[in-house]
């Protein structure tokens, strides 16, 4: 498997809890290099466009409100099989179903709100490319050896 890049968000709940460093550490300890990283306050328009695929879902409004409720950290992660590796580190969407040792199990229990599940990660190559360019210009991505 070739080196891949994937897009990650440390969501507002995790930033608020003060665990962004611990989450970034999970990536670094598991072979994912951070090649771009910034803290942002997402606008409503950005959140609506980013999650446009969920526009018709009942939780869309709640998800947009949550993602704009406080700062989050957007990142590009690079490594072997990075897309799947990141999804494995994240755990299941609902933290109640996430395996012990995953980010969502370790940082989101007990669950109050399914929007507040600590992290987002691209679910495929097409999504990764789209999501990276949604938040980063090419000159914001570095080369790391
Ligand atoms: P993932 O983030 O695991 O890829 P999805 O892309 O399906 O999951 O959903 C995007 C986000 O929407 C999830 O991370 C979660 O915060 C929220 N979400 C998903 N399903 C629900 C639901 N049934 N109720 C409330 N929020 C949800």
């Amino acid at each position: 498997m070739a080196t891949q890049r994937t897009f990650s968000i440390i969501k507002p709940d995790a930033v608020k809890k003060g665990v962004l460093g611990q989450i970034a550490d999970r990536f670094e300890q598991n072979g994912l290099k951070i090649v771009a990283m910034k803290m942002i306050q997402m606008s409503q328009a950005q959140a609506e466009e980013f999650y446009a695929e969920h526009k018709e879902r009942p939780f869309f409004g709640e998800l947009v409100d949550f993602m704009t409720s406080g700062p989050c950290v957007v990142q590009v992660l690079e490594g072997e099989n990075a897309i799947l590796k990141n999804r494995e580190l994240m755990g299941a969407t609902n933290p109640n179903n996430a395996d012990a040792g995953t980010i969502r199990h370790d940082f989101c229990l007990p669950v109050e709100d399914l929007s507040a599940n600590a992290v987002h990660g691209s679910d495929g190559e097409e999504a990764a490319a789209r999501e990276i360019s949604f938040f980063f210009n090419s000159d914001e991505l570095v080369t790391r050896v």
Side-chain angles (χ1 to χ4, degrees):
M1 172 55 75
T3 298
Q4 278 181 331
R5 284 180 168 178
T6 191
F7 175 74
S8 163
I9 304 177
I10 300 176
K11 292 188 178 185
D13 57 311
V15 173
K16 199 170 175 183
K17 280 180 192 158
V19 296
L20 75 87
Q22 290 182 67
I23 292 175
D25 192 50
R26 298 279 175 111
F27 301 140
E28 296 199 306
Q29 294 302 317
N30 287 280
L32 295 176
K33 287 178 180 165
I34 298 168
V35 297
M37 185 180 220
K38 60 188 173 187
M39 186 174 285
I40 62 165
Q41 171 64 55
M42 211 181 283
S43 69
Q44 179 162 342
Q46 276 178 314
E48 285 177 353
E49 192 179 341
F50 183 75
Y51 281 116
E53 68 177 293
H54 296 307
K55 205 164 47 189
E56 306 305 328
R57 309 280 284 275
F59 59 83
F60 180 70
E62 187 187 311
L63 180 60
V64 168
D65 286 350
F66 174 73
M67 292 303 289
T68 57
S69 68
C72 62
V73 176
V74 291
Q75 304 154 96
V76 179
L77 307 176
E78 182 182 272
E80 286 287 302
N81 211 5
I83 295 170
L84 185 61
K85 166 66 74 182
N86 182 40
R87 298 286 302 183
E88 287 171 356
L89 294 173
M90 289 163 58
T93 304
N94 182 338
N96 286 319
N97 302 328
D99 292 339
T102 63
I103 292 167
R104 285 169 167 168
H105 175 279
D106 294 353
F107 297 110
C108 305
L109 296 178
V111 180
E112 284 173 22
D113 168 4
L114 273 190
S115 299
N117 59 357
V119 277
H120 165 85
S122 308
D123 62 6
E125 285 184 33
E126 206 177 300
R130 180 183 76 82
E131 293 173 358
I132 289 169
S133 62
F134 190 85
F135 283 107
F136 292 99
N137 296 320
S138 55
D139 64 0
E140 294 179 291
L141 276 70
V142 300
T143 300
R144 293 186 59 182
V145 287

